[in-house]
Amino acid sequence: MKHKICGSSRVTCPSVGNKVTVVLGAQWGDEGKGKVVDLLAQDADMVCRCQGGNNAGHTVVVDSVEYDFHLLPSGIINPKVTAFIGNGVVIHLPGLFEEAEKNMRKGKGWENRLIISDRAHIGRLMSHLLSVSPPSLGTTKKGIGPVYSAKAARSGLRICDLLADFQEFSERFKHLASQYKSMYPSLEIDMDGELEKLKTYVDRLKPMVRDGVFFMYKALHGSSKKILVEGANAALLDIDFGTYPFVTSSNCTVGGVCTGLGMPPQNVGEVYGVVKAYTTRVGIGAFPAEQNNEIGELLQTRGKEVGVTTGRKRRCGWLDLVLIKYAHMINGFTALALTKLDILDVLPEIKVGVAYKVDGEIIQHFPANQEVLHKVEVQYETLPGWKTDTSAVRTFEELPENAQKYIFYIEDHLGVPVKWIGVGKSRESMIQLF
């Protein structure tokens, strides 16, 4: 490895090595991250997941075949890619193998290309906790929260524990299960049955499991590689920066990449924010730009806004640039992918949220408090629509003039360039600008 002298003849600075390209949701999820990842994964060597669990939902269409991903990195569709599930991910083992087999039946082999960090937490009890979970926070009902809770309480179980001494693992599993039973008295768990099922995964898992930190280090500092990190959920669902408490249980902003994979910040390269051309949200919680009217219905119907993971209808509203600017402050987007522009094709005019007022005063920040966020009055700019079908457009120049102006307006307001524009479901319908 080459070293450069760093201020003294005795101390050297190691080279940074490969940089990872990160794809993150900039709204409340469902922005179309899977499509951007699919595009970038075509020439990637490695694709990683760093947080979340099977509460993520990415749909990718390749050669008219639709693939649904919840836990596996969707970039695994490329047969040359090594997929890595990092320590920040919660792994529901039955779900992992089920999902893999479902996609394998559609012609995508995977098992010899999947690597799992030994420090990732296991969510075997997830499905049991669904029937007894606390009052709804508008979550995906996948039992992710309790696993992250156990992790923070230091009583969680990790992949390395399952593959070490099974007797010791069994004791800890029983202890965790009894903790859950004391919290939720109606919870029923067949301890021996569950342990028996977990034991059946051991041999299948072993070849896939590595020390995640060492694996990432070798990938970053070995031969030149294109490494892609696929964010799950989105900025406004982040446990720290999202619309708390109606959020997920992990950091789905850029910091989660370092903690969820075990890598330093200097190895973060491009950070692409994925933005839908309007705004959607699943579940409850404040949504300033929501349109509870015929506009919201039109966006919901035309955009087929139903969650991949939950099957729930998504709430819809205008594009909110205050929210995107906030996501950019946290993530430092180097470029954006704007998806589903074609859904706006039929509108004579399009509104864009550009500022928030609270108690008659413009505020400069995105409110942390839910009650304040509910009181926000969105200030809109009205832009002319284009009333033209864009779904067959394949270059920026072919877009109607007003559609181009819509893109320029977004770029100018945010100070971030738009690199891709999505006008349909397929790979081919992602227009690349540079």
Side-chain angles (χ1 to χ4, degrees):
M1 189 188 292
K2 287 180 185 171
H3 292 258
K4 59 177 186 279
I5 301 301
C6 194
S8 124
S9 58
R10 290 181 53 226
V11 181
T12 60
C13 281
S15 66
V16 170
N18 295 316
K19 293 205 171 194
V20 303
T21 295
V22 183
V23 177
L24 299 171
Q27 293 153 305
W28 276 289
D30 313 307
E31 301 93 350
K33 294 180 290 294
K35 286 183 194 66
V36 181
V37 168
D38 177 52
L39 214 62
L40 293 168
Q42 288 180 68
D43 66 346
D45 300 294
M46 190 168 147
V47 183
C48 315
R49 274 280 307 270
C50 61
Q51 45 68 231
N54 59 342
N55 58 339
H58 293 171
T59 305
V60 179
V61 180
V62 181
D63 301 329
S64 304
V65 182
E66 203 166 278
Y67 298 89
D68 284 346
F69 293 94
H70 300 279
L71 192 54
L72 286 172
S74 59
I76 204 167
I77 273 188
N78 174 354
K80 298 189 186 92
V81 151
T82 297
F84 177 54
I85 296 180
N87 57 276
V89 179
V90 160
I91 300 177
H92 181 239
L93 290 169
L96 174 72
F97 289 114
E98 243 169 68
E99 182 180 322
E101 278 154 17
K102 200 166 112 185
N103 285 319
M104 198 155 71
R105 285 198 294 274
K106 293 178 181 178
K108 299 289 171 189
W110 63 279
E111 241 172 275
N112 58 342
R113 296 186 288 114
L114 179 63
I115 305 294
I116 298 171
S117 169
D118 58 352
R119 289 176 171 85
H121 279 249
I122 298 170
R124 178 60 202 143
L125 293 169
M126 286 172 172
S127 35
H128 294 278
L129 293 164
L130 306 185
S131 56
V132 291
S133 55
S136 174
L137 291 173
T139 70
T140 56
K141 306 283 191 296
K142 292 286 175 185
I144 302 290
V147 184
Y148 278 115
S149 296
K151 176 178 178 174
R154 279 96 68 200
S155 56
L157 296 163
R158 302 187 295 174
I159 295 287
C160 57
D161 305 324
L162 176 62
L163 300 191
D165 182 336
F166 194 77
Q167 192 54 47
E168 174 64 25
F169 176 85
S170 303
E171 292 309 310
R172 288 182 56 197
F173 179 90
K174 286 173 184 172
H175 178 67
L176 180 61
S178 58
Q179 274 185 335
Y180 283 140
K181 278 179 79 71
S182 65
M183 286 161 67
Y184 310 113
S186 61
L187 185 64
E188 287 179 25
I189 302 169
D190 169 11
M191 304 268 196
D192 294 331
E194 289 299 325
L195 283 164
E196 205 50 53
K197 279 177 200 162
L198 281 163
K199 202 171 188 178
T200 64
Y201 297 126
V202 170
D203 289 341
R204 209 166 160 192
L205 270 174
K206 259 184 185 156
M208 303 176 199
V209 176
R210 303 280 190 286
D211 180 292
V213 174
F214 188 67
F215 177 78
M216 252 338 262
Y217 184 83
K218 296 299 272 186
L220 293 170
H221 296 282
S223 58
S224 176
K225 273 190 179 67
K226 285 192 174 179
I227 303 171
L228 187 57
V229 182
E230 181 178 323
N233 320 114
L236 275 293
L237 293 172
D238 184 279
I239 183 75
D240 287 295
F241 303 111
T243 46
Y244 192 89
F246 305 100
V247 292
T248 192
S249 312
S250 60
N251 287 113
C252 17
T253 42
V254 73
V257 173
C258 297
T259 55
L261 294 173
M263 55 165 268
Q266 68 259 30
N267 289 96
V268 175
E270 300 290 343
V271 181
Y272 297 133
V274 187
V275 178
K276 202 179 274 186
Y278 49 101
T279 313
T280 63
R281 173 162 204 177
V282 168
I284 52 180
F287 182 173
E290 183 171 16
Q291 299 299 299
N292 279 318
N293 51 30
E294 66 281 3
I295 292 292
E297 275 176 41
L298 178 119
L299 294 170
Q300 202 278 324
T301 309
R302 271 185 64 80
K304 298 183 173 63
E305 295 296 350
V306 177
V308 177
T309 299
T310 60
R312 287 180 291 181
K313 271 189 180 185
R314 298 179 188 135
R315 298 153 62 193
C316 299
W318 296 117
L319 180 64
D320 183 343
L321 292 180
V322 179
L323 193 147
I324 310 295
K325 202 171 237 185
Y326 171 65
H328 174 48
M329 287 177 196
I330 300 159
N331 290 309
F333 298 131
T334 53
L336 301 174
L338 188 81
T339 61
K340 299 186 92 163
L341 184 74
D342 56 309
I343 305 306
L344 306 181
D345 286 351
V346 297
L347 295 166
E349 58 178 36
I350 295 158
K351 289 186 178 182
V352 180
V354 293
Y356 286 176
K357 260 188 187 177
V358 175
D359 300 328
E361 298 282 317
I362 296 276
I363 57 169
Q364 296 296 315
H365 61 281
F366 185 84
N369 178 268
Q370 276 296 293
E371 285 67 38
V372 175
L373 200 54
H374 276 293
K375 286 199 309 190
V376 155
E377 289 172 55
V378 183
Q379 308 302 294
Y380 292 102
E381 281 283 334
T382 302
L383 304 176
W386 43 91
K387 300 279 284 176
T388 310
D389 183 359
T390 60
S391 60
V393 170
R394 293 297 173 261
T395 65
F396 182 73
E397 292 69 31
E398 288 174 69
L399 282 172
E401 189 186 349
N402 285 345
Q404 293 186 20
K405 283 180 177 171
Y406 186 66
I407 307 299
F408 292 143
Y409 185 88
I410 292 165
E411 289 184 325
D412 289 347
H413 193 88
L414 298 172
V416 185
V418 171
K419 187 176 171 76
W420 295 276
I421 301 164
V423 290
K425 259 191 155 187
S426 68
R427 257 180 197 175
E428 298 69 44
S429 57
M430 285 296 274
I431 301 164
Q432 188 163 336
L433 277 67
F434 61 90

